[in-house]
Amino acid sequence: MDRNTDFLVIGSGIAGLSFALKASAHGKVLIITKAAADESNTKYAQGGIAAVTAATDSFEEHIIDTLQCGDGLCDEKAVRMVVSESKKRIEEIIEWGAQFDKNADGEYDLAREGGHSKHRVLHHKDNTGFEIERALLESIRVNPNIEVLSHHFAVDIITQHHLGEEVRKGTENIECFGAYALNYQTHQVEIIRAKITVMATGGAGQVYKTTTNPLIATGDGMAMVYRAKGAVDHMEFVQFHPTALFNPGESPCFLISEAVRGAGAILKTADGEEFMQKYDDRKSLASRDIVARAIDNEMKVRGDEYVYLDCRHIPEDEFIRHFPNIHQKCLAIGIHPHTDMIPVLPAAHYFCGGIRVDENALSSIGQLYAVGECACTGLHGANRLASNSLLEALVYSHRAYLHASLQAKNVAWREGIPAWDAEGTKQPGERVLITHNRRELQSLMSNYVGIVRSDERLKRALERTEIIYRETEMLYEKTVLSPELCELRNLINVAYQVIKAAMARRVNVGLHYSTDLLTS
Ligand code: FAD
Ligand code: SIN
């Protein structure tokens, strides 16, 4: 069934949902999302959301921390805008029903994470994202102007290309008219015509074997925009979280929040030695690029599969109060955080790059906005400051709504969009070809395009990715569309973008580190 809507939002994490709530005052909003409505990276966010709320903190300090973390590649205008709008956006999300922990004096219980010079992270115990997702979805469900279609996969955005017109990369007049979406129930690809389309598809951690990201994080938005010849930037800056729980066989990895280090936990080697003092004066609370690289180095030098996080000195009641889920998880696998050290390792966690957008979240494609992790706003530069991403999503969704609600008045639905062409395709004989290629891609990305790179590793990665690409495109040509096949194509596309961007970056900066390059 084809549909028309004023605003099409692709994705139901913090970015898509907060945009939808606002835009619903200006027209009909349709949210499509490929899994259950609440499944997203947002749902798993632990540490919290960074914002200046304490009298002892200042916008300037948050700005300096963000810029320092971004290692010279942040867009300072974007940083200043996000930080100075943080308070208003936090007030809004509280009005929508999200609750953040307070201390005995009724003040927000602010946590600290790596790279922050102050305690400034608002949190809901250690499941802040779950709380935010809950509150937003509750508001969405009672909003008559918003419809949510779960289990609908956006396959591609619709541009002039689909109308038979030639579209070249860098062309200024590419426009978006909506999206083709695969309905899981009918197995049909439907046309969704929209005046405004908002990409809110999140990150791409699933391109790596070891990741904290859930299965949905396959970089679909970045791939769709790249295919549509839109601008995508900074893809080499993949952030590895230093402390995922080492629990062989569990995928994705369970996260041990950086807020645990903010509460005093210390990184140690298997024989109980502290090591972060060798790498940075801030020790275990240095920025993530530095801590993840330090852990990677210690593991390689010592031949260990993990390092330890020592929380034994943190009062047990304090630990349980702030980190009940982490505590439970550790107990469930036989680790008692008060008497045992927690084995941890770095895992792919966050994409700093993505769809290039301006200060209004508008992409290089007309009528197409991008918000949240799939976007590259300039806030993060070469390395994201912890807990800045939930904040970025709120601020840019607000900016997008302000701009898009005016734009929508001057746009009509595009006529003449052809139905999805599935001619000549058949049911796949073997689905296992898709799963094998997904696994192979994840392994090669982890082996060759991880925390430490080299020219030789990147060359190998590119050659192997090209083989997987050719095999998968052949499948795509002749196979009936499935979400698994679409995701594999998108993962390959993202892997290619990361490798090419890493090859092109000829200096070590932030999260990009190659043994063949000099550090700036
Ligand atoms: P998501 O929340 O990932 O939502 C994307 C949505 O798009 C999903 O609903 C998905 O199903 C849908 N989607 C994707 N592709 C398609 C498609 N093709 N068709 C239809 N739907 C699609 N950040 C912080 O600031 N603080 C934290 O404490 C924090 N902790 C984290 C802990 C973990 C374990 C993880 C994984 C991340 C954490 N982050 C944290 C990062 C942060 O959670 C994410 O960057 C943020 O939630 C992204 O929000 P989003 O709305 O952009 O995307
Ligand atoms: C964490 O809780 O450590 C994750 C915070 C983030 O990714 O911003």
Side-chain angles (χ1 to χ4, degrees), residues 20-21 24-25 27-30 138-148:
L21 279 173
S24 64
K28 287 280 178 201
V29 182
L30 178 65
E138 275 180 23
S139 300
I140 295 268
R141 279 185 190 119
V142 295
N143 188 314
N145 257 1
I146 304 177
E147 185 182 1
V148 182

Side-chain angles (χ1 to χ4, degrees), residues 11-12 15 33-34 39-42 45 47-48 154 220 350 373 387 389-390:
S12 56
T33 191
K34 67 179 175 179
E39 188 55 1
S40 56
N41 269 4
T42 300
D220 300 349
Y350 183 86
E373 190 168 340
S387 287
S389 45
L390 294 173

Side-chain angles (χ1 to χ4, degrees), residues 360-374:
N360 297 313
L362 185 62
S363 75
S364 64
I365 297 179
Q367 290 96 251
L368 178 73
Y369 295 76
V371 287
E373 190 168 340
C374 69

